[in-house]
Amino acid sequence: MKLDARLEAVRAFVPAGGVVADIGTDHGYLAVALVQSGQAERVIASDLNLGPCEAARRTVREERLNGAVEVRQGDGLTVLVPGEVQTACIAGMGGALMVSILAAAPLVVKKLDALVLQPMNGAYELRHYLYQHGWHVADETLVVADDRIYTVLRAEKGRCKMPDALTLEIGPVLWERKPELLRHHIESLLFQARRAAAGMEKSERAKQSAKYKDIQKRIKALEERLIW
């Protein structure tokens, strides 16, 4: 099963061996690739909606992996029994939704060894939640797919000092390692912040708000992070 660069980065971050959950599996491509590559002994793939579950089951049948990939329909991690899997992958969702998925199944999360996450947005909220709840970012990478830059991270158990807000937004491991795509990543965050500021500048009342001042401070701080 050939994956695009985004899902391949997710697959590569999964610790080898054990049972893996692929939450929000869509067509089941990641689940199948995890088994075929030997990355996982078994995968439980889930999706909230029937259509993606049927598509995933079709993919599993076509690849003759019915014994290695099980597809379950349900909401997030609630389809799992605590201790059933060692690693959970959640990709292609907003960070806020990922937080709600993690918060909805605390007993399942407590028994996990690792989380592999690819937020489409809201990375600050996601990282903040992880550090608040006894997890930390152990590894991160940036990857380009379909002309868009994506962040993929692996979180592991263990309390660590909470990074500052800007580092949580950029990514603590990314900032430490300074990968090739980091400037592009920060520039993307800057673009979003400047667009938000431009929208507020259409209103004099908004320009006087604390939120506008905070955005201006964030823009300045991000600009300073482009220099190293």
Side-chain angles (χ1 to χ4, degrees):
M1 178 63 64
K2 185 171 176 58
L3 302 176
D4 65 13
R6 179 180 65 90
L7 285 180
E8 176 57 27
V10 174
R11 185 203 64 77
F13 263 15
V14 174
V19 183
V20 179
D22 175 21
I23 305 301
T25 191
D26 198 19
H27 284 74
Y29 297 151
L30 174 63
V32 165
L34 283 166
V35 172
Q36 289 179 336
S37 66
Q39 204 86 4
E41 296 172 8
R42 183 167 166 264
V43 176
I44 298 171
S46 79
D47 207 283
L48 179 62
N49 298 309
L50 178 60
C53 286
E54 290 179 337
R57 290 187 181 109
R58 188 160 54 248
T59 301
V60 172
R61 285 196 304 271
E62 289 171 355
E63 299 296 325
R64 300 180 181 180
L65 290 174
N66 288 317
V69 180
E70 178 186 351
V71 180
R72 298 178 185 174
Q73 184 179 357
D75 192 359
L77 293 166
T78 63
V79 301
L80 302 171
V81 174
E84 193 173 18
V85 305
Q86 289 74 56
T87 301
C89 300
I90 312 177
M93 305 177 196
L97 179 55
M98 289 184 179
V99 167
S100 69
I101 287 172
L102 296 173
L107 297 181
V108 172
V109 174
K110 186 178 180 181
K111 292 291 186 178
L112 293 172
D113 297 326
L115 289 161
V116 181
L117 308 168
Q118 183 272 297
M120 302 296 282
N121 53 54
Y124 165 82
E125 291 82 359
L126 178 59
R127 292 188 185 101
H128 188 273
Y129 180 88
L130 291 170
Y131 278 88
Q132 240 184 357
H133 290 81
W135 293 76
H136 66 278
V137 178
D139 205 353
E140 293 179 296
T141 190
L142 296 168
V143 62
V144 174
D146 299 322
D147 298 320
R148 177 171 175 175
I149 191 164
Y150 297 96
T151 300
V152 180
L153 65 91
R154 183 174 69 240
E156 296 175 358
K157 286 179 181 174
R159 291 196 174 274
C160 294
K161 182 181 177 182
M162 177 83 73
D164 64 83
L166 195 66
T167 302
L168 280 175
E169 183 176 11
I170 294 170
V173 176
L174 296 174
W175 180 246
E176 179 185 349
R177 295 182 181 169
K178 310 279 192 309
E180 184 179 347
L181 289 171
L182 183 60
R183 290 186 195 278
H184 187 141
H185 175 51
I186 295 174
E187 286 167 355
S188 295
L189 296 174
L190 259 174
F191 175 78
Q192 295 166 22
R194 287 170 176 156
R195 185 170 58 181
M200 297 183 75
E201 285 163 4
K202 296 174 183 177
S203 163
E204 283 301 320
R205 183 176 179 181
K207 286 173 66 177
Q208 301 304 316
S209 68
K211 185 176 180 181
Y212 180 75
K213 292 174 183 176
D214 286 342
I215 289 176
Q216 290 298 326
K217 289 179 183 177
R218 186 160 147 254
I219 289 171
K220 183 179 179 184
L222 285 167
E223 287 172 343
E224 289 173 352
R225 292 288 185 111
L226 284 171
I227 303 168
W228 67 76

